[in-house]
Amino acid sequence: MKTIGLIGGMSWESSKVYYEYLNRRTQELLGGSHSSKNIMVTVDFAEIERWSFDGNWEAIGELMKESAQKLELAGADIILLCTNTIHLVSDAITQNVNIPFIHIADATGEAIKAQNLKKVGLLGTAFTMEKDFYTGYIRDKYDIEVIIPKAGDRQTVHKIIYDELVKGIFTEESRKKCMEIIQRLSDAGAEGIILGCTELPLLIPEASVDLPTFDTSRIHVYKAVDWALDRTAATMA
């Protein structure tokens, strides 16, 4: 079993989900008392949040580079970035370490393609929905159209994420708002929904959506565990 390196803390709510998924999936596949071999470096999300809103992606990239290098020095065999949005600066990781990196959009694109879907909706932070690093990646590499909510709905989801989900607040009112937005994406032709913020599946259970949903954190983790156990070759950046 190889050791999985995790860059976490964005937010810690999603990081604990990554840790749980890693260990549950490893035990599910190996049985007994097996657990995942992993190392996590966490950052202070308040810094990430401030730099994101200031548009200081260079500072975020520098912090991701430093975190990835710490993981490599600590003995990690592969790196996962436990967030969707900060994949915007994933090049800062891949260009500065010598171990593989699994891009969350690769894992997600493969999962969508496996279900033969051609058009999906995306929920996430405004950065994830509006910048091309995610939608363009899936479109260009997997020939899947990714549509996003209208401007007002994007702001609603963004506000729910930053004001509530990253702080561990999950309300029925916010769930209903997201469900209404999902319905509008469905009406626009979406055949499935990417829950492109690692906290969103905690708010929107798979069973509550009529369309196929793609829990990006679970998909990301499962791909990493398969790689760590040599079950399949991972597609890596």
Side-chain angles (χ1 to χ4, degrees):
M1 184 192 306
K2 296 183 177 67
T3 300
I4 297 171
L6 306 165
I7 304 177
M10 299 166 283
S11 65
W12 66 264
E13 286 286 341
S14 68
S15 300
K16 71 178 183 181
V17 169
Y18 264 77
Y19 185 76
E20 180 177 359
Y21 280 169
L22 277 172
N23 287 290
R24 289 194 182 280
R25 182 59 171 169
T26 301
Q27 186 180 49
E28 178 183 322
L29 294 175
L30 298 182
S33 56
H34 282 287
S35 59
S36 167
K37 291 183 179 179
N38 60 77
I39 304 166
M40 182 181 288
V41 170
T42 63
V43 300
D44 179 1
F45 186 62
E47 292 180 343
I48 299 293
E49 186 176 38
R50 183 177 71 254
W51 289 333
S52 298
F53 281 88
D54 288 345
N56 192 351
W57 297 101
E58 183 178 350
I60 296 174
E62 183 64 23
L63 183 56
M64 294 304 103
K65 180 189 81 172
E66 293 171 1
S67 299
Q69 289 174 336
K70 287 178 183 178
L71 288 171
E72 184 173 23
L73 287 171
D77 296 304
I78 195 167
I79 294 174
L80 295 189
L81 181 53
C82 305
T83 167
N84 285 271
T85 296
I86 308 305
H87 276 75
L88 193 153
V89 296
S90 61
D91 285 352
I93 296 172
T94 58
Q95 294 173 5
N96 290 287
V97 296
N98 297 305
I99 57 177
F101 172 80
I102 299 182
H103 197 296
I104 198 168
D106 262 324
T108 303
E110 290 174 5
I112 297 167
K113 199 169 185 66
Q115 294 201 31
N116 296 313
L117 305 185
K118 293 305 247 177
K119 186 175 183 177
V120 295
L122 169 65
L123 296 186
T125 67
F127 309 114
T128 298
M129 291 186 285
E130 295 171 2
K131 293 183 181 294
D132 199 46
F133 76 97
Y134 203 95
T135 57
Y137 195 105
I138 292 176
R139 178 192 64 235
D140 296 343
K141 189 165 184 178
Y142 296 97
D143 193 27
I144 296 165
E145 181 181 0
V146 181
I147 62 174
I148 60 176
K150 294 185 182 298
D153 286 345
R154 294 199 300 271
Q155 187 56 38
T156 295
V157 176
H158 186 80
K159 184 174 175 59
I160 288 170
I161 291 169
Y162 279 100
D163 289 355
E164 300 177 17
L165 305 191
V166 300
K167 299 173 183 176
I169 300 169
F170 303 91
T171 68
E172 180 61 20
E173 179 183 1
S174 291
R175 189 191 72 80
K176 287 180 179 178
K177 287 180 181 177
C178 288
M179 293 298 294
E180 290 168 358
I181 294 168
I182 287 172
Q183 183 59 55
R184 286 191 278 276
L185 288 170
S186 176
D187 293 342
E191 302 169 313
I193 301 294
I194 301 171
L195 299 178
C197 170
T198 45
E199 292 89 1
L200 275 172
L202 301 173
L203 179 69
I204 308 168
E206 182 180 10
S208 66
V209 183
D210 292 334
L211 297 175
T213 60
F214 296 90
D215 177 345
T216 54
S217 50
R218 185 189 298 270
I219 292 166
H220 202 197
V221 164
Y222 279 28
K223 187 173 181 64
V225 172
D226 280 347
W227 187 90
L229 300 181
D230 293 321
R231 285 169 49 86
T232 185
T235 302
M236 291 162 288

